[in-house]
C-alpha cells in the first residue's frame, strides 16, 4: 500500500519481544542491561539535541517557508488548521468528556473542572502533564475529596492517556496529506488512527512531544512530512490547549474511578480504622489489667 515504515508491525514486535524476555528474567538479564545502556546513551544524545533545539527549530521553519510560493495561502491554511484543532479540543473538553463523566457518575462534571482549575492554569503555562501532576494531586485530594488511593493509582497511569495529543496528531497528519495533494484511502486513515492511539501511550508528557509522533505516523502512512516545520509556528498555542485537555481528562478519569470504588474503599478504611481502635483498646485493657495486678500485689505485701 505504502512505502513508509511499518510502525504498527514494529510496535507489535516490540511488545511480543518484551513479553518473551519476561518469561526468563535470569537468562535475558544481559539483554536488558544492554538495552538500559542504549537508553542512557540515547539520553546523552538527547541532552545535546535539546541545547541545539532553538537553532534547529528556526532552521526547520525557515526551510519549510522557503518551499512555499504563496505565503498568504500557507498562513490561511495554517489558520484553518489551528481553528479545526481548537474546535475539536473544545468539543471534546466541553461535550464528550462531560457526557461520559455524567453517564458514569451522575454528577456535575463542571465541578471537577472548577476544582482542578489551578492544575489547568499550570498546564497552560508549563505545557507538560508531568509538571502539572503534583498540582493535580492536590486539587483531586484536597478540593474534590477523592480517595487518596484512587488518585495515587489513576493519575500516574492516566499520563499515558493523551486525548488532546491524539486529536492533534490525526489532524496534523491529514493536513500534511492535503498539503501534498494525496488522496488518502480508508485504510490509510484507519492506520493513522490506530498508530495515534498507540503512540499517545508512548510519547513523554513534555512540551511538543506530539511532533515526533506526527513524523512517525506520516512515515508509516506514506504521507510526506517535509512541511511539518510549518506546524511549529502554531505549536505555542495548540500545545498549551491540548495539554489542558489532557489534564482535564486525567481529573475526569480520577473522578470516575473514585465513584466506581467509593463503597469498597471507604468500607475498607472503616474496617482498618475499627481494627486499629480495637487493637488500641486491647492494649489499654492489658495495661490497665497489669496496673491492677501490680496494685493488688503491693497491697498484699
Amino acid at each position: 500500500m505504502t512505502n513508509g515504515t511499518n510502525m504498527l508491525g514494529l510496535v507489535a514486535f516490540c511488545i511480543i519481544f518484551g513479553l518473551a524476555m519476561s518469561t526468563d528474567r535470569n537468562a535475558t538479564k544481559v539483554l536488558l542491561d544492554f538495552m538500559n545502556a542504549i537508553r542512557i546513551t540515547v539520553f546523552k544524545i538527547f541532552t545535546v539535541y535539546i541545547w541545539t533545539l532553538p537553532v534547529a527549530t528556526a532552521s526547520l521553519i525557515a526551510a519549510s517557508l522557503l518551499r512555499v510560493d504563496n505565503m498568504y495561502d500557507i498562513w490561511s491554511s495554517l489558520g484553518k488548521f489551528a481553528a479545526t484543532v481548537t474546535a475539536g479540543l473544545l468539543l471534546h473538553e466541553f461535550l464528550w468528556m462531560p457526557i461520559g463523566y455524567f453517564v458514569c457518575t451522575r454528577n456535575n462534571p463542571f465541578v471537577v473542572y472548577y476544582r482542578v482549575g489551578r492544575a489547568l492554569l499550570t498546564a497552560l503555562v508549563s505545557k507538560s502533564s508531568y509538571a502539572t501532576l503534583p498540582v493535580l494531586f492536590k486539587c483531586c485530594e484536597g478540593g474534590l475529596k477523592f480517595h487518596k488511593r484512587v488518585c495515587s493509582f489513576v493519575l500516574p497511569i492516566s499520563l499515558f492517556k493523551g486525548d488532546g495529543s491524539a486529536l492533534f496528531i490525526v489532524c496534523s497528519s491529514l493536513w500534511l496529506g492535503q498539503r501534498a495533494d494525496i488522496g488518502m484511502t480508508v485504510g490509510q486513515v484507519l492506520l493513522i488512527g490506530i498508530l495515534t492511539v498507540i503512540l499517545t501511550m508512548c510519547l513523554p508528557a513534555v512540551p511538543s512531544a506530539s511532533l515526533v509522533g506526527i513524523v512517525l505516523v506520516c512515515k508509516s502512512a506514506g504521507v510526506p512530512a517535509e512541511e511539518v516545520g510549518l506546524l511549529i509556528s502554531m505549536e505555542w498555542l495548540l500545545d498549551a490547549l491540548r495539554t489542558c485537555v489532557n489534564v482535564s481528562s486525567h481529573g475526569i478519569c480520577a473522578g470516575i474511578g473514585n465513584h466506581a470504588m467509593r463503597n469498597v474503599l471507604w468500607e475498607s478504611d472503616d474496617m482498618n480504622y475499627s481494627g486499629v481502635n480495637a487493637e488500641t483498646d486491647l492494649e489499654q485493657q492489658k495495661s490497665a489489667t497489669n496496673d491492677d495486678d501490680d496494685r493488688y500485689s503491693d497491697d498484699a505485701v
Side-chain angles (χ1 to χ4, degrees):
M1 182 178 68
T2 62
N3 295 324
T5 305
N6 187 8
M7 186 58 60
L8 186 60
L10 181 62
V11 171
F13 171 77
C14 291
I15 294 174
I16 296 173
F17 191 79
L19 292 175
M21 285 180 59
S22 64
T23 58
D24 193 346
R25 299 179 182 272
N26 294 327
T28 58
K29 187 177 183 302
V30 177
L31 184 58
L32 182 61
D33 294 338
F34 174 72
M35 292 182 177
N36 286 330
I38 292 178
R39 179 178 61 85
I40 294 173
T41 305
V42 170
F43 281 173
K44 296 293 184 182
I45 297 174
F46 276 173
T47 303
V48 179
Y49 164 76
I50 291 173
W51 281 102
T52 62
L53 192 59
V55 177
T57 302
S59 302
L60 187 61
I61 296 175
S64 299
L65 291 176
L66 288 175
R67 300 191 189 99
V68 177
D69 297 329
N70 189 345
M71 193 64 66
Y72 174 79
D73 179 64
I74 188 61
W75 285 113
S76 176
S77 179
L78 279 173
K80 294 177 182 178
F81 164 76
T84 301
V85 175
T86 304
L89 293 175
L90 293 176
L91 188 66
H92 183 67
E93 177 83 1
F94 295 107
L95 182 62
W96 299 122
M97 283 199 300
I99 289 176
Y101 182 81
F102 179 77
V103 170
C104 294
T105 65
R106 295 297 190 272
N107 293 324
N108 187 357
F110 295 100
V111 174
V112 178
Y113 289 162
Y114 175 74
R115 295 295 184 183
V116 301
R118 191 171 62 169
L120 298 181
L121 290 177
T122 305
L124 287 173
V125 175
S126 65
K127 302 176 184 178
S128 172
S129 298
Y130 280 136
T132 313
L133 187 59
V135 183
L136 188 59
F137 263 105
K138 293 180 180 179
C139 293
C140 290
E141 294 178 2
L144 291 167
K145 305 301 181 183
F146 290 162
H147 197 281
K148 186 176 181 179
R149 283 196 285 174
V150 171
C151 296
S152 299
F153 178 77
V154 175
L155 292 181
I157 291 182
S158 63
L159 290 176
F160 296 99
K161 173 179 175 291
D163 302 13
S165 300
L167 189 147
F168 176 72
I169 292 174
V170 171
C171 291
S172 300
S173 302
L174 297 177
W175 182 81
L176 290 172
Q178 291 178 348
R179 290 291 304 170
D181 292 330
I182 295 178
M184 292 190 181
T185 63
V186 177
Q188 285 179 295
V189 175
L190 290 177
L191 179 62
I192 289 174
I194 294 173
L195 288 176
T196 300
V197 172
I198 297 174
L199 285 175
T200 50
M201 295 187 293
C202 305
L203 292 176
V206 297
S208 301
S210 299
L211 294 175
V212 179
I214 293 172
V215 176
L216 294 175
V217 170
C218 288
K219 291 296 183 182
S220 299
V223 177
E226 286 77 11
E227 293 188 351
V228 70
L230 296 174
L231 299 176
I232 302 178
S233 60
M234 305 301 298
E235 184 68 6
W236 62 274
L237 173 63
L238 299 179
D239 193 10
L241 293 178
R242 66 176 181 262
T243 303
C244 186
V245 172
N246 292 340
V247 173
S248 299
S249 69
H250 301 164
I252 292 294
C253 289
I256 294 174
N258 184 78
H259 179 80
M261 301 296 294
R262 64 190 186 283
N263 295 329
V264 176
L265 291 175
W266 292 116
E267 288 177 1
S268 176
D269 288 348
D270 291 339
M271 291 177 62
N272 292 334
Y273 180 74
S274 301
V276 171
N277 286 344
E279 292 179 359
T280 303
D281 294 340
L282 182 60
E283 291 178 357
Q284 291 177 352
Q285 291 176 2
K286 288 182 179 180
S287 178
T289 303
N290 293 332
D291 292 341
D292 292 341
D293 292 342
D294 293 339
R295 188 175 66 253
Y296 293 151
S297 298
D298 292 339
D299 295 340
V301 173

